[in-house]
Amino acid sequence: MQNVSQSRDVFYVSDGTAITCETIGHVVLGQFSLRANEKTFPFIESEDKLAELIKQISVSYEQSGVEPLVFFSIVIPEIREQLLTATAHFYDVLEGVVQQVKSDLKMEPAPKLQRSHSVAKDSDKYFDRIAAIEYTLAHDDGVSLRDIEQADIILLGVSRSGKTPTSLYMAMQFGLRVVNYPFIDDDLRALKLLPQFEIHRHKLFGLTIDAQRLTEIRENRLSGSDYASTQQCMTELASVEALFRREAIPYINTSSLSVEEISTRILERAGLKRRLF
Amino acid sequence: MQNVSQSRDVFYVSDGTAITCETIGHVVLGQFSLRANEKTFPFIESEDKLAELIKQISVSYEQSGVEPLVFFSIVIPEIREQLLTATAHFYDVLEGVVQQVKSDLKMEPAPKLQRSHSVAKDSDKYFDRIAAIEYTLAHDDGVSLRDIEQADIILLGVSRSGKTPTSLYMAMQFGLRVVNYPFIDDDLRALKLLPQFEIHRHKLFGLTIDAQRLTEIRENRLSGSDYASTQQCMTELASVEALFRREAIPYINTSSLSVEEISTRILERAGLKRRLF
């Protein structure tokens, strides 16, 4: 990232939430050595909003002297057509793939507004997702082990190893019910699994992390504490990893992984099916 | 969705998490009248995993008699090349857009493994995201109003109007710090804002919902209770909406909106900037 050769205004535009546009545009731009000033315009479904957007694209072009990049997905034909009259480089993030599928399947696509993440489309599935989020919240950080038999997976690890964000992501993104349970001092000395976990062994999954990274994270929270000391972190991690190995609990090191990566790796290794929303 | 003309096996394949592939493929398929049997293959980065995947693609083709659809994004050239030898319809979900950007900007793309959601890429940003999730969790459902001045937004609404999932999504997806506060019986009778909210008025945002939908959701939780009765739901909603109007608090009806849509609409109306991870 040293030789940033240029900077560009980037617009993510949709008549829906624009989340898909952002995702695609952001990943694509990650392949170019470019400083992007990103701005998102969701729900462009009226002439008024479109006019305001086109004005901003013009201003960007006039001020920077180069065409801004517009990653878009617009279903309404008139809005789409007018948008394309602005001075910019345009990228329809879905159209290329849609056209290929159309040609391969010899079927006509039927573009629909807000076709993704729609509540109406599948209400039961949507309720399941909300229920998964609530279940996971209610079982965060060992607060409760009630209804543990309903869990899809049980995450174990020391404090700050990434259990909570991972659990919530798995619930939100994949509709999974996740219990997460921290090892605290007493557990660490005793070093054995809770009896409640015995019959759910196949659902257990461990998180670990490099001692140095854990120290950094804990320092960020409680600077100068014993809790954050390298010694304490090393002791806790050694005990927990020994437990994972002894009990044959699969585990991964979260040190350099994002929440998305941790979640996906767990799903893969635990053989859990993703649900798509 | 009545005339489902055919069913197809669909593979989402990546040497990363495959989340982007899933998102794009799922949205694209939503435009076709097709029953999709979706399966995801993340982290296809070794010959072994590739061989297993290719076998499954073959089995699908042999059993169904039609080419399965493979939505993919593979950075490693050898893996990509071999994958494409399988009998299937292939869709490189990013390549079309990447090539267009390359041509417009006259820059060479530099594809990188795990280029999205990477921790290493921007560690501070990543910490901010985790901090937002933790802040939001600690301020869920009125449990605490501590450090309320750090909130990006404060969501208000009756029980089951969608506050918690929306708050967590906004934290996870956009890195926002969200407080959410429920109106309970006492508040409803008194019908005024907490004094603590006064100086944060500009951050307040209301959620409301149709009485019928609220009844349905509450029935799902506590069947036959007063809490779930249509009368109770109507009374609560009328009081709260009156409050929103009187206090000029912007609000939206969440009845037919997904978590993604609610979050995006709030961001838009509140003028909050999204952060991309």
Side-chain angles (χ1 to χ4, degrees), chain A residues 225-238:
Chain A
S225 63
D226 277 354
Y227 164 81
S229 73
T230 310
Q231 187 52 53
Q232 175 67 19
C233 290
M234 285 175 71
T235 309
E236 289 186 27
L237 289 167

Side-chain angles (χ1 to χ4, degrees), chain B residues 98-148:
Chain B
V98 167
Q99 289 306 322
Q100 279 183 62
V101 174
K102 174 184 167 178
S103 155
D104 288 338
L105 296 186
K106 298 174 184 60
M107 287 172 76
E108 277 302 313
K112 269 168 278 169
L113 260 182
Q114 295 165 10
R115 56 211 168 276
S116 66
H117 307 307
S118 176
V119 173
K121 209 173 62 179
D122 194 338
S123 189
D124 279 353
K125 209 167 153 183
Y126 191 73
F127 271 129
D128 282 352
R129 184 189 192 190
I130 301 297
I133 295 170
E134 280 167 7
Y135 179 93
T136 301
L137 259 185
H139 294 80
D140 181 40
D141 207 32
V143 255
S144 165
L145 294 178
R146 223 185 122 192
D147 299 329
I148 190 177

Side-chain angles (χ1 to χ4, degrees), chain A residues 105-125:
Chain A
L105 297 185
K106 297 174 185 60
M107 288 172 77
E108 277 302 312
K112 270 169 276 168
L113 257 183
Q114 294 166 10
R115 59 212 164 276
S116 67
H117 307 306
S118 176
V119 172
K121 208 174 64 181
D122 194 338
S123 189
D124 279 354
K125 209 167 153 183

Side-chain angles (χ1 to χ4, degrees), chain B residues 4-277:
Chain B
V4 171
S5 53
Q6 49 172 308
S7 147
R8 287 272 178 157
D9 290 342
V10 173
F11 293 78
Y12 300 121
V13 178
S14 171
D15 39 16
T17 65
I19 294 172
T20 307
C21 282
E22 281 180 343
T23 306
I24 298 173
H26 198 64
V27 174
V28 167
L29 291 178
Q31 300 195 14
F32 292 90
S33 178
L34 195 77
R35 191 152 46 79
N37 311 315
E38 300 165 303
K39 212 166 166 191
T40 305
F41 293 79
F43 307 117
I44 300 295
E45 50 203 349
S46 69
E47 296 283 334
D48 282 3
K49 288 174 111 179
L50 180 65
E52 172 57 31
L53 167 63
I54 289 178
K55 208 170 81 188
Q56 292 206 35
I57 294 176
S58 296
V59 169
S60 161
Y61 178 60
E62 282 158 23
Q63 292 186 343
S64 65
V66 290
E67 293 89 344
L69 312 183
V70 180
F71 294 87
F72 75 100
S73 178
I74 300 273
V75 170
I76 308 164
E78 303 78 46
I79 302 275
R80 187 191 148 93
E81 209 170 294
Q82 284 184 57
L83 172 66
L84 293 174
T85 64
T87 305
H89 292 309
F90 287 101
Y91 310 101
D92 187 324
V93 296
L94 297 176
E95 194 55 16
V97 181
V98 167
Q99 289 306 322
Q100 279 183 62
V101 174
K102 174 184 167 178
S103 155
D104 288 338
L105 296 186
K106 298 174 184 60
M107 287 172 76
E108 277 302 313
K112 269 168 278 169
L113 260 182
Q114 295 165 10
R115 56 211 168 276
S116 66
H117 307 307
S118 176
V119 173
K121 209 173 62 179
D122 194 338
S123 189
D124 279 353
K125 209 167 153 183
Y126 191 73
F127 271 129
D128 282 352
R129 184 189 192 190
I130 301 297
I133 295 170
E134 280 167 7
Y135 179 93
T136 301
L137 259 185
H139 294 80
D140 181 40
D141 207 32
V143 255
S144 165
L145 294 178
R146 223 185 122 192
D147 299 329
I148 190 177
E149 66 284 354
Q150 290 175 24
D152 291 303
I153 192 144
I154 301 167
L155 301 184
L156 307 175
V158 301
S159 168
R160 302 277 114 179
S161 53
K163 298 181 302 300
T164 295
T166 302
S167 300
L168 289 172
Y169 186 83
M170 292 175 92
M172 187 83 73
Q173 182 75 15
F174 302 120
L176 295 170
R177 295 175 183 228
V178 188
V179 168
N180 79 73
Y181 188 83
F183 288 106
I184 49 168
D185 263 355
D186 287 353
D187 301 313
L188 285 168
R189 264 189 293 273
L191 251 192
K192 54 184 181 190
L193 288 180
L194 284 187
Q196 293 96 310
F197 289 146
E198 277 301 335
I199 59 162
H200 303 290
R201 272 190 164 273
H202 57 291
K203 294 180 180 174
L204 299 177
F205 205 101
L207 300 189
T208 188
I209 185 170
D210 295 343
Q212 196 191 335
R213 175 79 174 170
L214 184 59
T215 304
E216 187 190 348
I217 296 173
R218 289 186 175 182
E219 270 294 330
N220 198 24
R221 195 185 210 192
L222 278 176
S223 188
S225 63
D226 277 354
Y227 165 79
S229 72
T230 310
Q231 186 53 54
Q232 175 68 20
C233 289
M234 285 174 70
T235 309
E236 289 186 26
L237 289 167
S239 307
V240 165
E241 287 176 22
L243 176 72
F244 292 156
R245 284 191 296 267
R246 201 175 60 234
E247 302 282 349
I249 296 168
Y251 66 100
I252 56 170
N253 186 315
T254 65
S255 303
S256 62
L257 302 178
S258 68
V259 171
E260 284 81 357
E261 288 163 337
I262 301 167
S263 303
T264 316
R265 295 232 177 240
I266 293 173
L267 252 67
E268 192 198 16
R269 289 205 29 204
L272 287 170
K273 202 170 149 42
R274 306 181 183 199
R275 307 188 62 185
L276 299 178
F277 296 99

